[in-house]
Amino acid sequence: MKTVKQTRILEIDPLNPRLDYLLEAARVIKDGGVVVFPTETVYGIGADALNSAAVKMIFEAKGRPLDNPLIVHISDLDQLSIISIEVGEDVYRLAEKFWPGPLTLILYKSEKIPYEVTAGLETVAVRMPAHPVALRLIELSGTPIAAPSANPSGKPSPTSGEHVKRDMMGKVDVIIDSGDTLYGVESTIIDITRDPPVLLRPGALSVEDVEKVLQKKIAIPDFARGLVEAYEAIAPGMRYRHYAPSKPLYIIESRDYSNLERYCLQVVKHVKKLKENGLKVVVLASTETLNYYDEVEIICLGSRENLFEIARNLYKALRRIDELDVEIAVSEGFEERSLGLTIMNRLRKASGYNIIMVD
Ligand code: AMP
Ligand code: MG
């Protein structure tokens, strides 16, 4: 039977964080408890990264398979020496430019990091989050915090206090509610132990920006584009269906979105077919393409000119599919440049690879 916990909710204003609440949450981490906390990407569910019993409770609360490793969150570069045995120059160069921020690096782990955190791997994922509440929480806890996203396994990641309260009440000791997160998608994960470095997951930071600082090309395997499942242990989490609404979702993709009218007319054709089959449909569209669709529910993701906006709205939109009175969802596709790569990775996985290619 699952343990039901008394969950304490702490509302912390990110601009003016209450020290007494932060100290209370930090005490829970120190004592081996589990705390849901905001980051600039999505909400995380965290525990002391050096305490394997505490880390195990994260997996239980999420229903997460044990072979899907966590990210270790730090507040200070000095903590790298606790976590990793080998910190190269590239790590410091990237840290200087992008930390605190939405970049996660894969390093060789030290023996202090329990295998529960890394799912048995010899490597560990590390990042320094750029959220005042997350940073202060790590600092006051006096230990790195291991945390994945705070959603039940397989569901879209939480981007608001409402999401985490709905998903995690009774499963954790503390939920810190600091309102909406900034980016609304997870961090970019790069395996820097390889040469060339490998993108394991596109995220809030564009690969192009990281390449500029590294002055190296980063390899982008097909699974990072969300096109095939990850093989073996290279990126274990990627084997599972992620970010998924309960209802079926189809992504209608093109190799070329330069002629939006031509593209949308083909999406319209597919939507019409579904309606003719008696299905209630919702279309995930952009500001530029909304008007092509008649007599159908629409969720607007934002402007194609502002991929940051689309990324930020994505998980709310995926959750909205389940709330609406519809049976099936169809999403437009986006060009795979900059954050478009991240958006397409999430959409393809959320659809369970239900991809329809049009011209
Ligand atoms: P989440 O924050 O929920 O997205 O989960 C953490 C992500 O980090 C998962 O996608 C993991 O696959 C990834 N990750 C953590 N540690 C490693 C590692 N050592 N090697 C590869 N990927 C990792
Ligand atoms: Mg996750």
Side-chain angles (χ1 to χ4, degrees):
M1 218 186 76
K2 285 242 155 76
T3 352
V4 178
K5 294 191 182 234
Q6 279 283 359
T7 303
R8 176 132 157 87
I9 294 181
L10 303 173
E11 284 183 16
I12 304 186
D13 177 357
L15 298 178
N16 189 15
R18 278 183 64 159
L19 185 61
D20 55 340
Y21 281 177
L22 282 165
L23 283 167
E24 186 181 335
R27 166 56 57 195
V28 170
I29 295 279
K30 269 190 244 182
D31 290 346
V34 178
V35 174
V36 169
F37 63 99
T39 80
E40 79 282 24
T41 58
V42 301
Y43 275 79
I45 171 170
D48 180 351
L50 308 181
N51 178 341
S52 52
V55 168
K56 274 188 197 149
M57 293 198 297
I58 295 176
F59 288 88
E60 190 184 326
K62 274 186 65 103
R64 184 177 177 101
L66 290 171
D67 62 351
N68 191 357
L70 313 181
I71 294 173
V72 176
H73 294 74
I74 58 174
S75 56
D76 193 305
L77 279 186
D78 288 347
Q79 288 168 310
L80 278 180
S81 61
I82 306 173
I83 292 163
S84 181
I85 41 169
E86 213 182 287
V87 185
E89 228 173 78
D90 280 346
V91 175
Y92 286 107
R93 201 179 315 155
L94 290 172
E96 188 180 332
K97 183 78 185 169
F98 297 116
W99 281 356
L103 174 66
T104 296
L105 297 173
I106 305 294
L107 310 175
Y108 288 108
K109 84 184 253 314
S110 76
E111 60 192 24
K112 293 210 182 77
I113 296 290
Y115 282 112
E116 281 78 6
V117 171
T118 68
L121 297 174
E122 293 305 330
T123 52
V124 60
V126 187
R127 92 171 182 102
M128 189 189 291
H131 191 293
V133 172
L135 277 177
R136 283 294 272 158
L137 177 67
I138 302 164
E139 227 171 78
L140 294 170
S141 302
T143 181
I145 295 182
S149 53
N151 49 292
S153 197
K155 290 288 152 202
S157 302
T159 60
S160 76
E162 296 315 310
H163 292 164
V164 279
K165 282 188 274 190
R166 215 173 303 153
D167 290 348
M168 288 298 159
M169 277 302 280
K171 296 183 180 169
V172 298
D173 298 293
V174 171
I175 292 176
I176 299 178
D177 177 357
S178 296
D180 286 351
T181 61
L182 176 66
Y183 289 106
V185 278
E186 299 86 344
S187 59
T188 301
I189 306 182
I190 292 176
D191 187 347
I192 197 95
T193 67
R194 294 173 189 244
D195 195 21
V198 181
L199 176 72
L200 298 186
R201 174 178 76 186
L205 182 67
S206 80
V207 176
E208 292 89 335
D209 283 350
V210 181
E211 283 179 333
K212 261 182 236 152
V213 171
L214 274 181
Q215 295 184 308
K216 269 187 216 173
K217 272 278 171 206
I218 293 169
I220 304 182
D222 274 352
F223 69 78
R225 298 172 59 209
L227 280 178
V228 288
E229 290 286 74
Y231 40 88
E232 296 173 37
I234 178 173
M238 292 158 199
R239 276 205 307 272
Y240 302 98
R241 190 174 173 204
H242 258 108
Y243 323 116
S246 317
K247 295 174 187 170
L249 165 67
Y250 284 83
I251 315 299
I252 303 192
E253 290 195 33
S254 170
R255 277 179 197 87
D256 181 7
Y257 296 96
S258 56
N259 186 339
L260 269 182
E261 168 153 16
R262 192 179 116 107
Y263 166 68
C264 284
L265 290 178
Q266 298 184 81
V267 181
V268 166
K269 236 190 267 168
H270 282 281
V271 173
K272 207 169 143 207
K273 240 187 265 166
L274 292 170
K275 279 171 61 185
E276 280 165 8
N277 287 330
L279 291 167
K280 286 188 200 160
V281 191
V282 59
V283 181
L284 278 62
S286 54
T287 355
E288 289 83 359
T289 55
L290 281 178
N291 291 330
Y292 288 104
Y293 309 102
D294 280 334
E295 291 168 41
V296 70
E297 288 274 3
I298 300 276
I299 297 175
C300 181
L301 292 170
S303 167
R304 284 173 179 270
E305 300 298 313
N306 184 357
L307 295 173
F308 174 87
E309 182 188 16
I310 295 191
R312 192 171 49 198
N313 290 330
L314 197 57
Y315 289 141
K316 256 191 200 139
L318 292 174
R319 284 172 181 252
R320 183 92 187 113
I321 293 171
D322 284 341
E323 292 160 11
L324 287 173
D325 177 26
V326 296
E327 287 142 336
I328 190 163
V330 167
S331 178
E332 294 181 351
F334 298 86
E335 201 186 321
E336 271 187 356
R337 85 193 137 77
S338 177
L339 282 199
L341 181 67
T342 308
I343 294 162
M344 290 317 294
N345 164 293
R346 303 302 190 273
L347 279 174
R348 287 166 180 155
K349 293 177 131 211
S351 76
Y353 313 98
N354 282 327
I355 299 166
I356 298 170
M357 277 308 274
V358 298
D359 293 343

